Amino acid sequence: SAVSAVTNITPPMLPNSREKIEAAQLVFEKYLNHDFRQALLMEVLASKNPQNNNILSPKPSITTPKLFQHDLYSRARNKLMTIVLPEADDRRILRAAAELIHRKLAKIILLGNKQHLRRLAKELRLESILFPTHHEKIIMTQVYDPQADEDPDEFRIVMANALYECRKHKGLTQDGALRLLRNDPNYYGTMLLQLGL
């Protein structure tokens, strides 16, 4: 019957089926722990080369671009870092941030006006990735507005004091540090990272 014919169809996963391969890799990495994956890889390599039972490294000797990319993505997922993007109102930056979040490669801090960034993300159809409505275990996106007055005074003062201490030998005053934090998102982002916020 037609139903059994359809259920017996195996959809091919071709080398250029990027979405299928990435989805399979994400599931593989999510549900199999690192040690098990390494042991499985060693077993597969040993079965392909039965004369060499003392394999020291499970990595193949040739690194293809796809293997390099996979290794890079795996390392990024295992050590989830935070990236501050001071030019978040640039469409290219928002697209890149959404890509990083979608692949779960990094946590992102966007600097800019939250309403403006949300509107821009909606235009680009990235709002569900950058500003998800469901509760996540790990918050992947945060937005800070260097020009907003909603920061608690002590938060901005701590940042300004830290910036002042770093740059006072160059003649920066505490008022100058506050102005730099408000007017230059690069300084604001740098101080966020410097203070581990």
Side-chain angles (χ1 to χ4, degrees):
S1 77
V3 173
S4 63
V6 169
T7 57
N8 290 331
I9 293 175
T10 306
M13 188 180 294
L14 302 173
N16 61 352
S17 301
R18 182 178 148 212
E19 289 84 17
K20 289 181 183 178
I21 292 170
E22 287 176 2
Q25 287 171 341
L26 284 172
V27 169
F28 193 75
E29 289 175 2
K30 182 177 181 180
Y31 293 104
L32 297 177
N33 75 27
H34 177 72
D35 294 335
F36 180 77
R37 289 194 320 254
Q38 289 300 99
L40 184 62
L41 183 57
M42 299 250 320
E43 188 175 314
V44 168
L45 290 174
S47 69
K48 287 186 177 188
N49 189 2
Q51 293 97 346
N52 189 6
N53 289 332
N54 60 348
I55 297 175
L56 297 176
S57 171
K59 293 187 177 182
S61 60
I62 298 174
T63 302
T64 64
K66 282 288 184 192
L67 189 57
F68 175 76
Q69 182 182 29
H70 173 71
D71 184 49
L72 197 61
Y73 285 3
S74 294
R75 286 190 284 149
R77 283 186 197 103
N78 289 336
K79 190 175 183 179
L80 198 61
M81 302 295 283
T82 300
I83 299 173
V84 176
L85 299 172
E87 296 161 345
D89 57 349
D90 184 329
R91 293 170 187 268
R92 296 169 301 171
I93 300 294
L94 280 183
R95 283 189 188 104
E99 185 76 16
L100 290 170
I101 291 168
H102 177 71
R103 294 177 187 268
K104 295 181 178 17
L105 298 176
K107 292 187 276 185
I108 302 294
I109 295 177
L110 302 171
L111 299 184
N113 179 280
K114 189 169 190 167
Q115 285 75 28
H116 174 70
L117 294 176
R118 192 178 278 275
R119 209 170 27 253
L120 192 55
K122 191 172 186 174
E123 274 178 38
L124 298 170
R125 297 182 180 179
L126 302 172
E127 187 177 28
S128 64
I129 296 171
L130 292 171
F131 303 102
T133 54
H134 57 283
H135 183 65
E136 301 255 340
K137 290 180 187 170
I138 299 174
I139 296 173
M140 298 294 283
T141 310
Q142 292 180 320
V143 178
Y144 290 95
D145 188 352
Q147 296 181 345
D149 292 325
E150 62 193 40
D151 285 342
D153 286 337
E154 65 271 359
F155 176 70
R156 199 176 287 266
I157 288 170
V158 167
M159 288 174 55
N161 286 339
L163 179 58
Y164 168 72
E165 288 300 321
C166 291
R167 307 284 296 174
K168 67 183 176 185
H169 69 280
K170 299 242 180 195
L172 183 66
T173 64
Q174 287 191 324
D175 286 340
L178 278 168
R179 274 194 307 279
L180 269 177
L181 288 174
R182 179 176 289 282
N183 298 327
D184 191 335
N186 291 309
Y187 278 100
Y188 193 94
T190 301
M191 294 316 297
L192 280 175
L193 289 177
Q194 177 75 21
L195 297 174
L197 301 172

